[in-house]
Every structure is written in structure tokens, then in C-alpha cells.
Amino acid sequence: MTLNFPRWLLMLAATLPLAGNASTDVTPTPARVLLVVSGEGRDQGKTRPGFEMDEFAQAWLILRQNGFDIDVASPAGGAVQADKYNPAEAFNAALLADSQAVAKLAATLPTAALQPQAYAGVLVIGGKGAMFDLPGDTALQQVIGRIWDNGGVVGAVCHGPAALAEVRLGDGSRLVDGRAMTGFTEEEEALFGKRWAATFAFQLEPALRARGARWQEAPLMMPKVVVDGRLVTGQNPYSTPALADAFVRASGRVPVARTTWRDERSMALVERHLRGDPRVPTELAQQRDTLHVELIGILGYYQLQAAQAPAAIADALSIMQLARPYMDEAQLDVGIAEAHWRLGRTEQARSQLQAVLEKQPTLEQAKALLARMQP
């Protein structure tokens, strides 16, 4: 899945320094696993959505680091296209420097040609394309079912669980029936799936719930991994590293030590902040060059759009305020003002908006919010 953040936020995020992922000398005994991606993508997702490179890269790197051999498959096979992504991001840069990974994306295996007995597990990568070509792929359904029946691990992240909806096991039961799992939520789809969601064959969360899944979720775009025995699922792109680690553990291995990526560290910092850890602001000030501060601001901004209850609004405000000292952006200030207003602090909100308009008199978002606040 690709988040359609405003241009001003994307341009800011591109300026941050990148942090790499440490290598390790530990080499566990190899085992072969399967990564599945959508083959729908065209024009970097502009005319048809495909798979999410951020998710693929992180899953590939962690699985390889833990000694797994990897095959890559898509419904039709052949070359596949990811949605637009940042090639300079540390995990994407590492993936693009891996000639084996690049070659396998250029020549994915068709699902109809796969031999399920060859794999210790399968992990389905997300991206909106997964909602189009994966759910109806009967060959993929059979492969996933056989891998499960053979004692293998089944994983999926973001929109990837769409591939599990129609999987049946050897006894005729549904794989997802009665099992705890997660995936891209209705709340997330409402904000980030507007262009394509209306053309999906089904909406992910309601479809899995209807098929008996015991759905779990975190707040909007926060990391969430659910493990139910050999079934491991992740809610959104930011869940991918933890999902890959869980996949390794479900395979009977202890994940090797690694250096976390900046998005992981940033999200972990937010989680600690929301739990009331007083050290977080100081740590952010000290480590901001190795964190993705703009991501923190973006997260709070969009959580506010989805928030209904006062507690959720307060959390979104707190996240935006955490990033604000290092993110001097008028639209973030408008978001902070809106949160204050929705919490009943009208005068504080009005004062902040007036300050924004003094700097940018033509900013429509500020003027529109100020108009909404008139008695």
C-alpha cells in the first residue's frame, strides 16, 4: 500500500538522513520460503496498483538475514511492478543492491507452477494490487492451503491477507475461520484507499470477519502483528519488520539481532510516548537525525482525521505536538489547532490559526477551519 500524503509532507520526509540495517555473521540452516506479490501494478501504481516495495524489501532482508532461501511468485509470473516508493530509503536501497532479489522480481514464478512441498512457509506482501489478482487465484489458494497442511508458516501483511480469504484446508475448512488475525483496517482504507477501494471485489476487514476471522487492530497506521500458531499477520506497512521477525519465530528459529530501521524506531517512540514515557521528548531531541520525525507528524495528522472519541483526538494531538518542534509546517499547525477545537479549547485553537494566517494569509485550510469555528 502507498500512502497518498500531501506533497508538502512527502518533500519534507525525503530530506531526512537514512539509517542502515546491520548485517550479521550468524547463518542459520537454510530453508526455502515463498514471498507472494501482486502482478497488477502499472506505471508505479498510477494506472493500476501493485505491491508495496517497502514491505517486500523489509521482509526479504529479514528473511535472508535469518538464513532463508526465497522464491518470489505472482499469479501470472514474470516481471512485476511496485507502487511508487523511495529508492533511497535504507531497506529499499539494500534490496535494490541485492542482485538476486532484483532478478527474482524481474522473473517471478507463476503460482500455477509452484510445488507447495518445497516451502517451509509463505508470506504474502501487501499493496492495493493484492486486492485485485490475489483473492481469485485458485492456484495460490491451493499452494497456501497445502503449505499450511504440511506444517508450514503462513504470513501476510497489509492488504496481503486478501489472499487468505478463500483458502481452504485439506479438511474443507477455511484457513481464517476462528483464527486471530489482522490486516489493513476499514479505518485505514477510508483514508488511504479512496481511489481504488470502490473497485475491490470485497473490503478486507469485513470480508475476513465474515469468514470467521477473530479480527484485531491497533490505532490507524500503528504497527500491529497478530500471531495465531503458524498464522502471522500484520496490519499495515509499518508492521512489516515485526511481522517478518514473528514469521521467523513461527518457523522455529530465534531471529538474529539486527539494527532497526528509522521508521521502526520512530513508531516505537510514539508507542512509548502514548504510554506516558516522560523520556520520549528528550530522546527525540537527541536522536532526531536518526529518526523519521516527519513520519511522526504525519501519523498524528492522519490519526486526527480518523479520530472520533476525545481520547483518540487527544492522542493525535499529542503525537503532532511531539513532532512540532522539528517540523515547522503550517498545515501541521492547522491540525494541532483543529485538535484543540475538537477538544473544546476554542480560544486556543483560534489564536493558533490566527498566528498561522499571519505567516500565510492565503492558506485555505486555516481559513476554512477558522470559518467552521465561528459561533
Side-chain angles (χ1 to χ4, degrees):
M1 186 212 72
T2 299
L3 303 186
N4 295 316
F5 293 136
R7 181 179 176 84
W8 59 274
L9 287 175
L10 292 173
M11 291 177 66
L12 275 172
T15 67
L16 267 78
L18 307 179
N21 204 39
S23 61
T24 177
D25 295 329
V26 179
T27 306
T29 304
R32 185 165 296 277
V33 295
L34 181 67
L35 288 182
V36 177
V37 296
S38 169
E40 287 283 303
R42 300 291 183 273
D43 305 317
Q44 296 184 309
K46 293 178 182 178
T47 58
R48 193 69 170 172
F51 70 97
E52 184 72 22
M53 181 63 88
D54 288 7
E55 296 172 14
F56 180 87
Q58 292 175 85
W60 172 280
L61 293 170
I62 290 172
L63 293 177
R64 288 293 296 146
Q65 190 176 26
N66 280 276
F68 290 95
D69 292 328
I70 303 172
D71 283 341
V72 182
S74 66
V80 290
Q81 284 191 33
D83 288 347
K84 188 175 181 179
Y85 65 95
N86 178 7
E89 192 66 59
F91 39 76
N92 290 330
L95 188 282
L96 295 173
D98 185 329
S99 59
Q100 183 183 76
V102 172
K104 293 203 171 191
L105 284 173
T108 64
L109 302 173
T111 54
L114 297 173
Q115 300 297 319
Q117 64 272 20
Y119 301 106
V122 53
L123 197 164
V124 186
I125 300 299
K128 295 182 184 68
M131 297 299 297
F132 291 100
D133 61 350
L134 300 190
D137 185 351
T138 56
L140 177 59
Q141 294 165 18
Q142 292 168 5
V143 167
I144 294 172
R146 285 283 302 280
I147 289 174
W148 179 272
D149 286 337
N150 292 342
V153 179
V154 173
V157 64
C158 195
H159 287 95
L164 310 183
E166 298 301 329
V167 172
R168 291 189 179 271
L169 306 179
D171 61 4
S173 64
R174 292 186 184 276
L175 170 62
V176 302
D177 189 11
R179 291 193 167 88
M181 63 183 303
T182 189
F184 207 62
T185 68
E186 278 290 273
E187 184 179 53
E188 290 165 340
E189 202 74 80
L191 276 177
F192 304 118
K194 294 177 182 177
R195 180 179 178 188
W196 298 106
T199 60
F200 293 165
F202 54 75
Q203 300 301 302
L204 184 61
E205 179 185 339
L208 290 174
R209 286 182 182 274
R211 288 160 174 77
R214 294 185 289 114
W215 188 265
Q216 300 179 21
E217 63 183 70
L220 182 120
M221 299 313 292
M222 294 295 287
K224 175 73 174 179
V225 172
V226 177
V227 178
D228 189 336
R230 292 181 286 114
L231 178 64
V232 295
T233 48
Q235 180 173 323
N236 50 48
Y238 302 111
S239 309
T240 307
L243 172 74
D245 286 339
F247 188 97
V248 172
R249 285 190 291 271
S251 301
R253 303 180 177 209
V254 177
V256 299
R258 62 183 180 85
T259 300
T260 54
W261 289 294
R262 64 172 184 163
D263 286 1
E264 285 183 90
R265 295 193 299 277
S266 301
M267 287 295 193
L269 202 71
V270 170
E271 290 176 318
R272 288 173 49 210
H273 178 66
L274 293 177
R275 292 195 298 267
D277 189 333
R279 299 168 295 179
V280 167
T282 300
E283 291 181 20
L284 178 57
Q286 294 171 341
Q287 303 170 20
R288 63 182 182 274
D289 290 340
T290 63
L291 293 168
H292 199 161
V293 179
E294 278 69 27
L295 174 61
I296 296 173
I298 288 167
L299 177 67
Y301 184 88
Y302 279 101
Q303 283 199 357
L304 178 65
Q305 311 313 307
Q308 299 295 326
I313 297 170
D315 281 348
L317 173 60
S318 181
I319 295 169
M320 288 188 286
Q321 289 175 323
L322 183 64
R324 178 59 184 84
Y326 319 104
M327 192 174 173
D328 185 14
E329 284 301 320
Q331 292 194 43
L332 186 63
D333 287 333
V334 173
I336 291 172
E338 180 181 347
H340 281 304
W341 176 53
R342 291 174 63 186
L343 290 170
R345 306 164 189 162
T346 303
E347 289 309 313
Q348 187 172 351
R350 183 176 287 112
S351 175
Q352 182 154 5
L353 286 173
Q354 289 170 345
V356 169
L357 288 169
E358 285 179 7
K359 295 180 180 179
Q360 296 191 31
T362 62
L363 187 62
E364 291 299 325
Q365 292 91 332
K367 292 193 291 184
L369 179 57
L370 197 58
R372 287 167 57 197
M373 291 168 54
Q374 299 305 319

